[in-house]
Amino acid sequence: MEDALVLKYAAAVPRYTSYPTAPHFSGEIGNAEYERWLGAIGEGDSLSLYAHIPYCDRLCWFCACHTKHTLRYEPVAAYLAGLHKEIEAVGNRVTSGARVTALHLGGGSPTLVRPDDLIALKNRFSRHFSFAEDCEISVEMDPNDLDEARHDALAAIGMTRASFGIQDFDPVVQKAINRIQTYEQTRDAIEASRARGVRSVNCDVLYGLPHQTMATLERTIEAVLSLEPDRVALFGYAHVPWMKKHQQMIPEASLPDVVARYAQMARAKEMLVAAGYEAIGIDHFARPSDSLAVASREGRLRRNFQGYTDDTAETLIGLGASAIGQFREGYVQNMPATGEYLRQVEQGGLAALRGYALTPEDRLRARVIALVMCEFGFSFARIEEEFPALASSVIDEARLFRARDTDGLSTIETGAFKLTARGRPFARSVAAVFDAHLSNGRGRHSVAV
């Protein structure tokens, strides 16, 4: 029965880091709208900043991010010069009364940036934005890039959270995804970060990888636990070779099927919870004292383009090629092609390619989907209070889903729609029930387990 359930609910659906999702963005939203939305940020508002570094000195075949391979630093230096221009242009359009509460450097591999350039990048941000004293600064880390000088530079910019991509420690799996990274490298990099005052370490682990078995995954989880991370993100490998051509280097015959993927996910979760980590949403785990776990227990968990977060900022500004920003009014995505991105920021500082302006119904459905993804359900009274004129439509959809749910995924009790323990692993599929755009989308997605 469980295998049949997995197959039934494994259909390809979005990850719902936004609603509507990126395939529904259009060129009707561009720099003019972006400039207005930046200008509408108010005094005292909180901001979250994301800077995308779309370069790697090796190309991991599993990766679905906007990135490119380079063995020369000149393209990186040229890109950073353009990013500085965009930071200035955007910062000049945002009131100095807004406070940055979170800065995330992602990629690609931000840690391939040279130490002096890392410090210069943070200085450029500080020159054009007002940072809160307790601002969280997180960086995606590749241990292969790191040396003492880079560790010192990361400490100098005030990094508070280090996020290490591990994926899998098994040599056969690493070779299959072109990501060679030893346990010792990772351990030493984590220790070096902690020695310099980093207060939180996250480790990313993947299941569903080529040649990955239950035994290899168990060994990886045991090794990760020995590193004592504060958080673990457990993601299913998204095989999307139609979108990321380098994934064609991974033979589909080497991938575990949907049922095996689900079993890997369940076993990894079992091991993490047994080790004392609290399950957060569909794919995160945190120590009980971690701020993400506290936010989850207190009903403050949120979801954005970086995944689950306790960041309270309503506005996320994305900087760099392909970066996406989230505003009260909607979403904006920058030009993904680095050459065209650089040309645009050189001309006018902004490089918005497309976006989406939210309607009242979008806001309602975004809220419901976020609650399903973060809290595994929603109170009807809560939705009626927040959206009094529109709430009946999604409440009716929740009742209809429950009436047709013969698999025991959901309940409706005391005026609330909730996923059962059996239904929680399929939260993405249930969230899709409330997605009014999904049937009209042009995008293709990865499997939901």
Side-chain angles (χ1 to χ4, degrees):
M1 177 59 183
E2 291 304 319
D3 289 358
L5 193 70
V6 171
L7 292 169
K8 182 176 179 179
Y9 292 100
V13 294
R15 291 182 180 270
Y16 291 115
T17 52
S18 73
Y19 179 83
T21 54
H24 301 284
F25 296 179
S26 80
E28 295 178 2
I29 302 296
N31 284 335
E33 291 77 13
Y34 185 23
E35 190 161 9
R36 286 200 300 272
W37 296 353
L38 289 169
I41 296 170
E43 297 283 329
D45 282 358
S46 296
L47 300 177
S48 184
L49 302 178
Y50 171 78
H52 189 65
I53 311 296
Y55 289 96
C56 296
D57 48 18
R58 60 176 174 172
L59 188 59
C60 301
W61 294 337
F62 71 88
C63 183
C65 299
H66 284 288
T67 186
K68 58 174 58 180
H69 176 245
T70 182
L71 295 177
R72 298 184 304 115
Y73 195 72
E74 290 81 2
V76 180
Y79 177 81
L80 290 172
L83 185 57
H84 279 234
K85 289 185 171 64
E86 188 192 9
I87 292 168
E88 178 179 3
V90 172
N92 288 344
R93 289 168 168 82
V94 175
T95 173
S96 61
R99 289 290 180 270
V100 176
T101 55
L103 169 63
H104 185 87
L105 303 184
S109 297
T111 47
L112 66 71
V113 175
R114 290 174 178 169
D116 289 351
D117 286 339
L118 277 170
I119 294 171
L121 180 62
K122 173 55 169 62
N123 288 342
R124 178 55 60 112
F125 272 115
S126 297
R127 192 173 304 130
H128 296 285
F129 290 92
S130 300
F131 279 71
E133 287 188 9
D134 59 349
C135 178
E136 180 179 281
I137 298 176
S138 55
V139 181
E140 295 174 12
M141 312 274 276
D142 181 350
N144 288 279
D145 294 331
L146 293 169
D147 53 25
E148 291 300 304
R150 280 183 171 83
H151 279 299
D152 289 342
L154 291 165
I157 69 172
M159 181 177 69
T160 60
R161 174 168 291 114
S163 184
F164 290 88
I166 290 174
Q167 324 322 334
D168 192 294
F169 279 128
D170 185 80
V172 174
V173 177
Q174 289 188 354
K175 183 177 179 181
I177 62 175
N178 199 37
R179 173 84 178 201
I180 308 302
Q181 176 180 320
T182 68
Y183 170 83
E184 290 76 18
Q185 280 179 300
T186 309
R187 178 201 61 204
D188 293 348
I190 289 175
E191 290 178 353
S193 295
R194 284 176 165 154
R196 289 165 173 82
V198 166
R199 60 174 180 260
S200 180
V201 168
N202 173 79
C203 291
D204 288 348
V205 180
L206 290 182
Y207 62 89
L209 289 170
H211 305 297
Q212 196 174 43
T213 67
M214 192 69 79
T216 64
L217 180 63
E218 287 177 344
R219 288 196 292 271
T220 289
I221 296 297
E222 289 170 355
V224 168
L225 289 172
S226 75
L227 300 172
E228 301 183 337
D230 302 276
R231 299 178 183 180
V232 176
L234 177 68
F235 298 128
Y237 164 56
H239 191 60
V240 288
W242 58 86
M243 183 172 69
K244 296 298 177 182
K245 299 301 183 184
H246 55 263
Q247 289 191 353
Q248 294 176 2
M249 300 294 292
I250 297 176
E252 293 195 7
S254 69
L255 297 173
D257 63 21
V258 170
V259 171
R261 281 172 60 96
Y262 182 85
Q264 289 178 352
M265 178 273 293
R267 178 58 180 144
K269 176 180 179 179
E270 180 184 46
M271 293 178 69
L272 289 164
V273 171
Y277 289 81
E278 292 187 7
I280 311 295
I282 64 170
D283 53 20
H284 278 54
F285 300 83
R287 294 187 178 279
S289 59
D290 186 87
S291 61
L292 196 68
V294 174
S296 180
R297 291 196 299 270
E298 295 179 352
R300 297 185 289 103
L301 188 66
R302 299 179 66 234
R303 191 161 171 82
N304 63 19
F305 294 103
Q306 280 77 61
Y308 288 107
T309 180
D310 58 332
D311 180 16
T312 59
E314 188 175 2
T315 298
L316 166 65
I317 298 177
L319 299 121
S322 81
I324 301 176
Q326 180 174 350
F327 300 83
R328 296 185 183 97
E329 298 84 353
Y331 305 103
V332 171
Q333 183 173 24
N334 275 351
M335 166 63 65
T338 54
E340 182 61 19
Y341 162 80
L342 291 174
R343 187 187 69 80
Q344 291 190 25
V345 296
E346 183 67 35
Q347 288 183 346
L350 302 182
L353 172 68
R354 59 182 189 147
Y356 189 93
L358 292 166
T359 68
E361 184 177 355
D362 290 328
R363 298 178 200 281
L364 163 69
R365 293 183 178 276
R367 179 66 166 148
V368 167
I369 287 172
L371 288 170
V372 170
M373 295 296 292
C374 292
E375 300 180 17
F376 299 113
F378 58 93
S379 158
F380 295 162
R382 181 179 189 176
I383 297 301
E384 287 172 329
E385 180 181 356
E386 295 181 15
F387 303 91
L390 298 171
S392 60
S393 60
V394 295
I395 292 173
D396 288 346
E397 289 166 16
R399 293 188 185 280
L400 181 60
F401 179 85
R402 177 66 194 99
R404 295 176 174 175
D405 175 16
T406 59
D407 297 312
L409 304 189
S410 62
T411 65
I412 294 180
E413 297 176 357
T414 61
F417 174 79
K418 285 288 185 181
L419 297 188
T420 62
R422 196 179 195 208
R424 288 186 175 195
F426 309 107
R428 281 172 61 187
S429 296
V430 177
V433 170
F434 303 100
D435 185 342
H437 294 279
L438 186 59
S439 61
N440 301 320
R442 298 184 302 275
R444 296 172 65 185
H445 306 285
S446 59
V447 295
V449 297

